[in-house]
Amino acid sequence: MKKLIFSLSIIASIFTGCTSSDDETVTPIVTPASGTITGTITTNTTYAYGNYSLVGIVKINSGVTVTFDAGSTITCDKTVSTDNALVVLNGGKLIINGTASSPVVFTEASKIPGKWGGIIIYGDAPINAAGAATTSTSEDGNNIVYGGTNPAHNGGSLHYARVEYAGSQLASGVKENNGFTFYSCGSGTTLDHLVSYKGADDGYEFFGGTVSATNLISYGNYDDAFDWQDGWQGQNNSNWYAYQTGKGNFGMEIESSSQNNSYYPVVSNITLKRAAGCRSEVDDNQVDAFQFKKEGNGFFDNIIIDGYTGLTTTATPPVTYDGAVVRIEDATTNTNQVNGSKIKVTNVKVTNTTILTPIGRSPISVTFPVANWSTNASATGCSSLVSGAWSTVNGVNLIQ
């Protein structure tokens, strides 16, 4: 009898020692939502985690907030609708709540570059367009007026979003669209951990405005990895990565619509890489890492440049174009921006590039003021970018 009591006391001791923290955690299975996104969105809408079809040019109205939850995939299909894009009108907001492990992906069914218009956001932040105009009309086919007096414009917050296979010309647009296009977006807009993947035009293009962007990847886009005009003046940009492969023009095409602004954008921690065999879009001289023209300017620091060796055309007879780390395209930009110390490219590590110092398009002679150009073999570029599902496509890590 004593032996039985002792055994029961042991059993009681074992079970009374358990706590709720010892319970096994059960993760509920979430069934992805589905549906079609089309037309103009006129009320606040949240798209829960799921797989959606985007049909046509979807517009988010002024005063309306549209949210996408982490892990969602939004797919266009050019065979269903000729023109597809997600457009945020001035006053509207797009909230993308992706994470490193569960990004929000916008793609196209064929997986062919240039099949839809990407994400386009309009604001009313200041611009300085051609002829010193404070407003202009978009070139994307929507023909929307952009520009204004609100530097703090807020078009939403984009976190861990990827746009794939964009670059389509919409309707009567005079130019292809980009993965991400920002028309006069303001500093209240958040752009962080974004990927533009294999589009038929630029990875990112800014048309004026004050918005800044951090942790960007431009991979395999046909035109420029990064591009801007109309006096874009974002001040807090960092960790920009470009990998140009197959077909691609400049790492950065920098212009300011021929306006000699008193301001300039600031970008730090940049990596521009060009894969072996990458050719310019139309087999021409657009093969430099940085190109400045039409009064383009900016301060750029801690930079890695690799692979801008130029190309030999397939024409008869062939022509060889050398790639340069920095090229100034016109005399006015050289006089006002280089000599005026509104272009600074500092702490640059250059490899596998033909022309290792800034140069002008012939016959322009370029000499940077001493403090405005420097090399640094220890430059790290955007090495702090952390890979994950957000930067992986079809099992390939985009950060090469």
Side-chain angles (χ1 to χ4, degrees):
M1 188 67 175
K2 287 183 180 179
K3 186 179 290 186
L4 176 61
I5 293 172
F6 177 73
S7 299
L8 289 175
S9 66
I10 293 174
I11 294 170
S13 173
I14 292 171
F15 281 96
T16 56
C18 293
T19 67
S20 60
S21 63
D22 296 314
D23 295 341
E24 185 175 324
T25 301
V26 178
T27 302
I29 298 173
V30 178
T31 302
S34 62
T36 298
I37 305 170
T38 191
T40 299
I41 303 175
T42 58
T43 58
N44 293 346
T45 304
T46 295
Y47 292 98
Y49 160 66
N51 301 309
Y52 299 93
S53 296
L54 189 148
V55 179
I57 301 176
V58 174
K59 295 180 179 178
I60 300 174
N61 252 4
S62 178
V64 174
T65 298
V66 171
T67 303
F68 287 94
D69 285 348
S72 296
T73 299
I74 300 89
T75 304
C76 304
D77 188 338
K78 195 172 179 65
T79 65
V80 174
S81 176
T82 301
D83 287 338
N84 302 286
L86 179 58
V87 178
V88 184
L89 299 176
N90 181 30
K93 291 183 181 179
L94 173 62
I95 309 297
I96 297 178
N97 290 325
T99 66
S101 58
S102 297
V104 176
V105 179
F106 296 81
T107 191
E108 202 277 334
S110 71
K111 300 188 182 300
I112 297 173
K115 291 298 183 178
W116 72 295
I119 293 177
I120 305 168
I121 303 180
Y122 290 91
D124 56 357
I127 69 170
N128 196 358
T134 56
T135 62
S136 189
T137 302
S138 66
E139 61 182 29
D140 58 356
N142 290 307
N143 296 316
I144 293 175
V145 174
Y146 63 96
T149 58
N150 177 22
H153 157 264
N154 182 350
S157 61
L158 280 58
H159 292 279
Y160 292 100
R162 185 166 72 239
V163 169
E164 302 175 346
Y165 313 112
S168 175
Q169 179 177 334
L170 302 177
S172 59
V174 298
K175 191 174 183 291
E176 293 173 336
N177 289 289
N178 314 288
F180 294 88
T181 308
F182 305 110
Y183 284 101
S184 60
C185 292
S187 60
T189 308
T190 299
L191 308 174
D192 181 61
H193 284 94
L194 307 181
V195 176
S196 181
Y197 179 81
K198 290 193 176 181
D201 203 78
D202 302 321
Y204 303 83
E205 186 160 8
F206 300 85
F207 291 84
T210 57
V211 67
S212 295
T214 54
N215 303 304
L216 303 185
I217 294 176
S218 178
Y219 185 99
N221 293 292
Y222 283 1
D223 196 350
D224 311 307
F226 304 99
D227 189 356
W228 60 87
Q229 57 185 291
D230 291 349
W232 175 60
Q233 52 183 306
Q235 296 294 293
N236 299 298
N237 305 280
S238 64
N239 289 339
W240 286 17
Y241 178 89
Y243 190 75
Q244 297 179 274
T245 178
K247 186 187 295 187
N249 293 332
F250 301 112
M252 289 192 185
E253 184 180 39
I254 300 165
E255 64 171 281
S256 194
S257 305
S258 299
Q259 301 305 301
N260 184 13
N261 301 309
S262 59
Y263 50 80
Y264 39 78
V266 178
V267 189
S268 62
N269 307 332
I270 303 163
T271 297
L272 303 177
K273 300 182 74 173
R274 193 175 182 90
C278 181
R279 305 186 69 81
S280 64
E281 190 174 16
V282 292
D283 217 31
D284 63 3
N285 61 8
Q286 300 181 80
V287 291
D288 306 310
F290 283 84
Q291 184 224 38
F292 294 88
K293 64 182 178 182
K294 296 182 179 180
E295 304 280 18
N297 59 18
F299 287 8
F300 309 90
D301 184 60
N302 187 28
I303 305 160
I304 289 178
I305 292 173
D306 180 77
Y308 290 81
T309 57
L311 63 82
T312 299
T313 68
T314 57
T316 304
V319 178
T320 298
Y321 297 110
D322 291 328
V325 60
V326 172
R327 192 180 300 270
I328 309 300
E329 286 289 336
D330 56 81
T332 302
T333 299
N334 189 40
T335 298
N336 293 335
Q337 308 306 320
V338 175
N339 298 340
S341 289
K342 286 186 282 188
I343 297 177
K344 294 183 180 181
V345 185
T346 54
N347 293 304
V348 186
K349 179 181 179 180
V350 189
T351 53
N352 302 314
T353 297
T354 308
I355 302 173
L356 302 178
T357 57
I359 191 172
R361 185 72 68 188
S362 181
I364 302 165
S365 178
V366 170
T367 303
F368 270 57
V370 173
N372 297 349
W373 161 260
S374 65
T375 59
N376 182 351
S378 298
T380 57
C382 60
S383 61
S384 62
L385 276 181
V386 178
S387 300
W390 76 283
S391 63
T392 302
V393 181
N394 299 325
V396 176
N397 179 12
L398 305 184
I399 305 174
Q400 302 288 318

